[in-house]
Amino acid sequence: MPAARESLLDAAYRALARRPWSAVRMVDVAAAAGVSRQTLYNEFGSKEGLARALVRREADGYLLGVERALTGPGDARERLTATAEWTASTARENVLVRAMLTDCWSERLPAPTLKAVPSSSAVPAQRRADGPLPSPGDFVALVRDRAVAVLLAPGAPSSEAADLVRCCELVVRLALSCVAAPPGEGGVADLVRSALPRQLTS
């Protein structure tokens, strides 16, 4: 992603932390990023385009963290636990990720439509941002399917694959429940470990 685009998205995210999205002004975002307002409009087209790009970037960042957790060290149980912990901690710290995972968009946040919008942008990254955005159900499926792809042993019997699909979906849904209602002592890790079988495909 070009440096100017990334700086503008960083500036927009910082502005959102200080005031409702409705009060965020394009001129202020451009000034905070050290670029002209015209550069901002060239990149995103409009404030709605900026919002979609910001939401897309945060979604991509969340999914990148999922990938790191799933391909990190440890057996399947440990990697699924790390994925659940990443989901809960990222949603706790990032209001846009929390809104995307729960579909609870407060009036402080941008609320871009999930369906694709017409795009005539010359910027490839913006055309992608103008495409469909993931819904909470999409996130469940994306994380579950990626976990199965990473963790399923080659040539595993179909019964083992079906068990792993169920376990992976359970972990994702447990993590999302912890976003809505944070767990007590022991946290997400204890919940996931107690829900998963001791022997899991790895």
Side-chain angles (χ1 to χ4, degrees):
M1 182 175 292
R5 186 178 178 86
E6 191 65 26
S7 296
L8 285 162
L9 290 171
D10 287 342
Y13 189 84
R14 288 192 302 271
L16 181 59
R18 294 190 301 271
R19 61 182 72 93
W21 183 252
S22 60
V24 172
R25 299 188 320 154
M26 296 287 271
V27 65
D28 296 334
V29 172
V35 302
S36 70
R37 188 169 56 169
Q38 188 58 51
T39 298
L40 174 57
Y41 280 99
N42 289 346
E43 276 295 323
F44 303 103
S46 64
K47 189 175 178 184
E48 170 69 13
L50 175 61
R52 291 183 70 82
L54 183 58
V55 169
R56 170 65 69 184
R57 184 185 72 163
E58 301 311 305
D60 289 346
Y62 163 68
L63 292 171
L64 186 60
V66 166
E67 184 72 17
R68 283 194 300 267
L70 288 171
T71 57
D75 62 16
R77 292 177 91 243
E78 290 167 327
R79 287 187 275 169
L80 284 172
T81 300
T83 301
E85 289 180 310
W86 165 255
T87 295
S89 67
T90 305
R92 211 171 25 248
E93 296 163 9
N94 187 315
V95 293
L96 289 174
V97 171
R98 183 167 58 249
M100 283 185 277
L101 293 177
T102 62
D103 201 26
C104 293
W105 296 86
S106 80
E107 56 192 35
R108 284 190 54 84
L109 301 177
T113 176
L114 295 178
K115 65 181 186 220
V117 298
S119 180
S120 58
S121 177
V123 180
Q126 189 57 37
R127 288 198 301 273
R128 181 170 180 268
D130 290 339
L133 296 170
S135 69
D138 293 333
F139 279 111
V140 170
L142 285 165
V143 176
R144 178 201 63 212
D145 294 348
R146 185 60 189 137
V148 171
V150 169
L151 300 174
L152 187 63
S158 58
S159 61
E160 202 170 278
D163 287 344
L164 183 61
V165 169
R166 282 191 293 273
C167 286
C168 291
E169 178 144 349
L170 173 65
V171 166
V172 178
R173 292 189 180 280
L174 268 176
L176 292 180
S177 75
C178 292
V179 170
E185 191 175 338
V188 181
D190 279 0
L191 276 175
V192 171
R193 288 188 192 110
S194 66
L196 290 175
R198 293 257 173 230
Q199 296 300 323
L200 191 61
T201 302
S202 58

